[in-house]
Every structure is written in structure tokens, then in C-alpha cells.
Amino acid sequence: MYLLIPAAGSGRRMGSNRNKLLLEVRSRPIIAWTLLAAQASRYISWIGIISQPIDWQEFQEIIADLQLSKPVELIKGGSTRQESVYNGLQALPATAEQVLIHDGARCLATPNLLDRCAEAIHNSPGLIAAVPVKDTIKVVDENGIIQSTPDRRQLWAAQTPQGFDVKLLKQCHAEGIRQAWEVTDDAALFEKCGYQVRIVEGEETNLKVTTPQDLAIAEFILRTRLGEE
Ligand code: CTP
Ligand code: MG
């Protein structure tokens, strides 16, 4: 299975002056934890890290340090996540029929989750990891007035990995460019093109490290997972 890791963001909400994926949790850069999960996955055999050239030297050093046995390629990122994934899809080897896309910022996803997604893609040309939402979600207008309260039983919080048939996803990205769709995940493009996207049960701990609070939570989860005090 081919894995693309979007890692070309700037980490604005982290308030850091560099790519948040280079910040450390438990003494390793965030991206290193993501790569370790990919390395431990049974099915992933190729890894493409979509990233900004300014970070390439540091990423190369991290990759070398981890002594990964799987091939890793660096692919130039774009100015939005959508553009970054588009570049990643173009850079996939011609043999890639299916792909998993997993945000570098979701550094706590387990190898088991990656593998469950890799298995599920054989029965569904589009899938995403997701968890049921715990909060009651409100739809609110620009004046701060609630417009509606959707039934929570139908609401799922989208995560990555997201898995797709490569040919179809490329087609959806091309359509997205034609129609100037702006989306925050690849499933949204697949949905807009009328293709089915299936849910794979995600993980509560698979958070996207976005703010400084998330860094502290990730630190805690890893410490617990690694059996440290
Ligand atoms: N990403 C990317 N290319 C971009 C923007 C984001 O590959 N132009 C990646 C990020 O590196 C991250 C994932 O997409 O792994 C999810 O994005 P997000 O959590 O929003 O990260 P940032 O865009 O870096 O953070 P922020 O939105 O706070 O600036
Ligand atoms: Mg972002």
C-alpha cells in the first residue's frame, strides 16, 4: 500500500514560527511518530512525505535517524492541503492503484488503524477513519444565533487515514480544480463527485495536533502508551 503524508503546513494555530511537525513530543519530532507508525504497518510499503523544500533537510535527517526500511520520498507541498495532496497524487509511482492519505499531524494513529484502512480499501473505493462525535453540534449563523441542531447519531468526526482508488481520486481532484471547490479533506472531493465514502472506526486518541494544548495531550497519550510515569 502506498502512503501519502501531507506535511507541508505552517502550523499557524500552533503559534510556532516553523512547521509544527518539527516540534517534539516525547523527545521526537511529531513527524517521526507518524513515520514510526507507517514503518510498523504491515501493508504500507512506500511513503511519500508532501512537504515544503525549506523543511527537506530536517526531514531527511529525521528519516535517516529512524533507519526506516521502507522507501521514503519527499514531494513538494502546495499552499493548501488540497494542493499538497494533488501534488502527492501526481508523484505516486505508476504502479499505485490505491493510496492511503494520512496527515503528518495525526502522529498518534496506530499501525493497526493504518492496517484496518489498508484492508478496507479493497471493498470500498473511498474510506475514512472517523469517530462518533461526543458533543452536541450546533449550526450557527454569522450573528451567533443557532440555526439547527443536527441529530448527533448521524454525526462523525473525520480523521485520517483516508483511503482511495488512485484513478478516481485524481479525477476528483481535477474536478475540484475545474469547479474551484475548496475542501479540507479528500473525502469531501470524492463525495462532491458522487462517489461513496465508507467509515472505518477511527481512534479516540488519533487527534490532530493543532494547538499547544494538543501537544500536551499528545505527550500524555504517548507517555501512557509507552508505559511511562
Ligand atoms: N498540510 C499540507 N499542506 C498545506 C497545509 C497543510 O500538507 N499547505 C498538512 C499539514 O502539514 C498537516 C495536515 O495537512 O499534517 C493537516 O493540516 P493542519 O492540521 O491544518 O496543519 P497546518 O496547516 O500546518 O496548521 P494551521 O492550519 O494551524 O496553519
Ligand atoms: Mg491548516
Side-chain angles (χ1 to χ4, degrees), residues 141-210:
D141 71 12
E142 59 282 7
N143 302 316
I145 307 297
I146 292 173
Q147 298 300 300
S148 63
T149 304
D151 179 357
R152 192 170 62 194
R153 287 169 302 183
Q154 290 194 316
L155 297 176
W156 291 70
Q159 304 183 336
T160 67
Q162 303 199 346
F164 303 94
D165 176 278
V166 170
K167 228 184 258 168
L168 288 181
L169 187 62
K170 278 184 169 173
Q171 193 185 308
C172 296
H173 268 267
E175 188 64 17
I177 292 172
R178 262 194 299 278
Q179 309 243 24
W181 290 334
E182 284 178 21
V183 297
T184 50
D185 74 355
D186 298 282
L189 291 175
F190 225 63
E191 294 157 40
K192 278 172 165 294
C193 286
Y195 296 119
Q196 235 180 38
V197 183
R198 188 172 291 280
I199 294 288
V200 170
E201 185 89 35
E203 294 171 332
E204 280 296 333
T205 51
N206 179 20
L207 64 96
K208 182 160 70 70
V209 178
T210 307

Side-chain angles (χ1 to χ4, degrees), residues 45-71:
S45 56
W46 183 96
I47 302 167
I49 306 179
I50 312 162
S51 46
Q52 304 296 351
I54 192 168
D55 292 330
W56 281 0
Q57 193 182 336
E58 268 182 276
F59 278 148
Q60 291 286 19
E61 286 165 14
I62 292 165
I63 293 161
D65 202 50
L66 293 174
Q67 300 190 301
L68 305 177
S69 65
K70 302 180 179 180

Side-chain angles (χ1 to χ4, degrees), residues 9-13 20 80-81 208 210:
S10 57
R12 191 181 38 81
R13 286 169 288 177
K20 66 183 176 186
T80 61
R81 184 188 180 281
K208 182 160 70 70
T210 307

